[in-house]
Structures are given as C-alpha cells and as structure tokens.
Amino acid sequence: MARIRYGARTEAELAAARTASSRLPDIWSTGVVAVWESDPDAVAAVLPPPLAPTARPLVRVTISKVALAGYPLGAGSVAVAAAHRDVEGWYPLVMPMTHERALTGGREVFGEPKKLGEVTVERDGPVVRAALARHGIAFVEVRGAVSGPLPVPAPARKTDFYFKFLPAVDGSGFDLDPVLVHCLRHEKVRKLEKITGDVVLRESMYDPVADLPVRTLVELTLGEKTSDQQGRVVERVSARSLLPYVHQRYDDPRQLHDGPPEGSV
C-alpha cells in the first residue's frame, strides 16, 4: 500500500526533523531598522502586565528581506521597549511576514504576533525605501538615502517578550492560563550603513501603529544581519490581566469564534 501522507511519522523521521532544525546555517537578511522616542503614555498603554515601560519610550521598526534559496522572505516587526523584572527588551505588536511558513511556527511555538503582510525593501543607489503593508495600507514607511558606513557592532544578545495563549473554545477567555515567553536572540552584523531620512506612519484600523508617534528619531540604518533564537517560558500570566490586550493579535477579535457555515462540515 502506498504511504498515507497524513499518517503517523516514525520516530526516526521525527528525530531527523529535530536534528535538521537544530543545525540551520546562518541566514542573513538585509533590512532597515528605525528607532524613535514616542509618547510615553502611548507606549505604556500597549504593554500588558507584567511588562512595564523602560526609562525611554522607544519604538523600533525592522523591515527586512531574507534571501532564502527558492523561498525569498519578507519579515517585519513593530515593537516597543519594555521590561520584565530586571530584563529589558522589546514587546512586538505586529510582525508582518510574506509567507505562511514563517508565520505559523513563530505564532504556535513562541506566541509571536505574526500576520501575513507585504514587506518592501528597495535600494536604488543611495536611495532607500522600506515599508510594511497590510490590507492595502503601508502603515509604516521609511524613506531616505544612505549617507555613509557605520562601525560594525559586536555580536549582541537581545530579548523579545511574547504572550502565548489559547483562546477558550466557549469564548470565555483562555483554555489555560497564558504564559510569558522570553525569546533570546544572538545577533551578528556584517555591514551597517546610516540612512538620512524619515519614518511615515499611516492610519490603519488593522495595524494602528500611528498611535505611537515619532517624537525624536534615534536611529535609522540599513544593515546585513543574522541571528538565532531560543525561547523559554518564564511565568504564567493572569488571564484577567491579559484579556484586555488580546485584540492586539487579531484584525477583528470576533473572528476567533467564527464557525463554518451551517451544513459545511
């Protein structure tokens, strides 16, 4: 009998998949990073407990293209500076990805707020344009020109904060208490250039990053980077505390309980 592809995988196949995923080579991306100081009250308002604001109300946008063989990927993130106890890092609000493969693992394993979207990184001589778009709206756009090289920084360790949860089947909250994930990244940079330009935030009901205005532009760069990541659950989180922020993850929270049309199953 021909193999049934939806059937169970053997232990050897499972072990081979785990080994392959743990031996991935460095994957380099080319992308734009913009960091700015925003309104401190706005930054504090988007942070679910137990995350807290840091001393500076920073917002960071990354817009990258990854040259995967046969599978070019666009990846982006809009995040705010946050602290959990004595650890400082970033809390991403939205992470547009151009392919489902990059989306599913991050959402299901780490709790990353990934969504399908459009990612643009273009360079024509010194002129650079990068944007994140969904539903036909480029809600973040970086425009400028490369104005010179920057020193390549030493390898750095960075932390992102994610909340991993399962919405309850009956719509009452969560099936289990959510968990807070620390995602540790070791980042290496091989090229870095300064961009002179600006950041444009456009109104979008789906991705309302325009609520985090650019008060002072702190950093605007174009670079080539690679990083790995390791996640760990650090604590369980109060469902009552997190529920008011769950809408951040969805274009419309009501879609969570959209059932199939009657008679379709």
Side-chain angles (χ1 to χ4, degrees), residues 79-165:
V80 297
H84 177 232
R85 300 174 185 161
D86 59 348
V87 178
E88 292 197 358
W90 298 92
Y91 173 61
L93 295 167
V94 60
M95 301 175 69
M97 301 284 139
T98 56
H99 295 299
E100 184 180 15
R101 182 175 178 179
L103 185 152
T104 52
R107 284 181 67 102
E108 295 178 15
V109 177
F110 294 97
E112 295 173 328
K114 289 183 173 181
K115 299 178 179 179
L116 287 174
E118 299 172 25
V119 179
T120 302
V121 180
E122 300 171 336
R123 179 172 183 175
D124 184 6
V127 177
V128 175
R129 176 184 177 272
L132 300 176
R134 298 180 66 251
H135 300 288
I137 302 168
F139 59 92
V140 179
E141 183 177 3
V142 175
R143 306 176 299 196
V146 173
S147 55
L150 291 170
V152 173
R157 171 175 160 165
K158 299 182 178 182
T159 301
D160 280 354
F161 304 116
Y162 304 123
F163 291 95
K164 184 176 179 179
F165 55 82

Side-chain angles (χ1 to χ4, degrees), residues 11 32 73 157 186:
E11 182 57 39
V32 168
L73 170 69
R157 171 175 160 165
H186 298 89

